[in-house]
Amino acid sequence: TPFDDIKVRRALCMAVDQQAIADTYYGGNAELMNFPAAPIPEFSDVYVPLEELPESIREQFEYHPDKARQLLVEAGYPEGFKTEAICVSTSDTIDLLSIVKNYWVDIGVDLTIQPKEIGAYYSIVYAKSFEQILVGTAGATEAFTFVRTRVGNTWNHSNVNDPVINDVYERIAAARFDETS
């Protein structure tokens, strides 16, 4: 799939004016980056503000449609591509995806939104029976969210199996769940 290429994934991020969405759709009541830890006092020892991260990370949260188009060309998709997103059939999810769809059109990506009622959606989640994009929500109030990239975990939608992440997970789990510390 196109999503196997990191250039495509980066392009899709940079094609969306996330700050405009935070300011308008969420009325200024949104954080651009709140995962894996939210910018709240309880997580001050693990949260790194976006402005302190490397440029390569920051630019994924910035609006760069020209760079997004170039990345798609470099990835072998000069004309863009068609994709689909499965989501829960709630108006807020569909509204937000509709905004993203309109941004992606500008870089040649044609998104079909496939809303599902909650039972059907979770059947797809648990079976990992989706082809392209699965849209869900993740709470940012739990710093120990590496489970979302843990091999075999239901919430590891992309089936991530990264030795570095696995090692970090094991070290965090050992420290977090050690009742003596």
Side-chain angles (χ1 to χ4, degrees), residues 26-180:
Y26 290 106
N29 296 313
E31 292 289 336
L32 289 184
M33 190 183 76
N34 65 356
F35 183 84
I40 59 176
E42 292 83 356
F43 299 146
S44 63
D45 59 336
V46 294
Y47 178 77
V48 178
L50 186 57
E51 56 273 4
E52 293 179 19
L53 291 172
E55 173 63 25
S56 62
I57 302 297
R58 289 192 317 265
E59 75 178 353
Q60 292 178 76
F61 292 87
E62 298 168 354
Y63 185 46
H64 298 289
D66 291 336
K67 188 165 188 175
R69 278 187 219 94
Q70 181 57 41
L71 285 169
L72 288 182
V73 169
E74 291 172 17
Y77 299 96
E79 305 301 318
F81 58 90
K82 292 184 179 194
T83 189
E84 60 188 42
I86 296 172
C87 67
V88 176
S89 59
T90 58
S91 60
D92 59 331
T93 301
I94 294 168
D95 289 348
L96 185 57
L97 275 176
S98 296
I99 294 168
V100 170
K101 175 182 174 129
N102 286 330
Y103 278 112
W104 286 358
V105 163
D106 292 340
I107 63 165
V109 175
D110 181 11
L111 175 64
T112 300
I113 301 168
Q114 294 189 341
K116 305 290 182 190
E117 61 87 19
I118 195 75
Y121 174 82
Y122 278 111
S123 292
I124 292 166
V125 168
Y126 291 128
K128 296 187 187 291
S129 60
F130 54 94
E131 296 283 326
Q132 301 278 314
I133 301 170
L134 181 69
V135 177
T137 58
T141 58
E142 174 57 58
F144 191 63
T145 54
F146 280 100
V147 295
R148 298 185 197 291
T149 54
R150 182 77 171 132
V151 174
N153 189 282
T154 300
W155 301 109
N156 183 354
H157 302 309
S158 299
N159 295 315
V160 173
N161 185 0
D162 183 305
V164 173
I165 291 173
N166 296 342
D167 178 59
V168 169
Y169 176 91
E170 293 299 331
R171 288 187 284 133
I172 290 172
R176 179 176 173 122
F177 299 114
D178 180 2
E179 297 296 324
T180 62

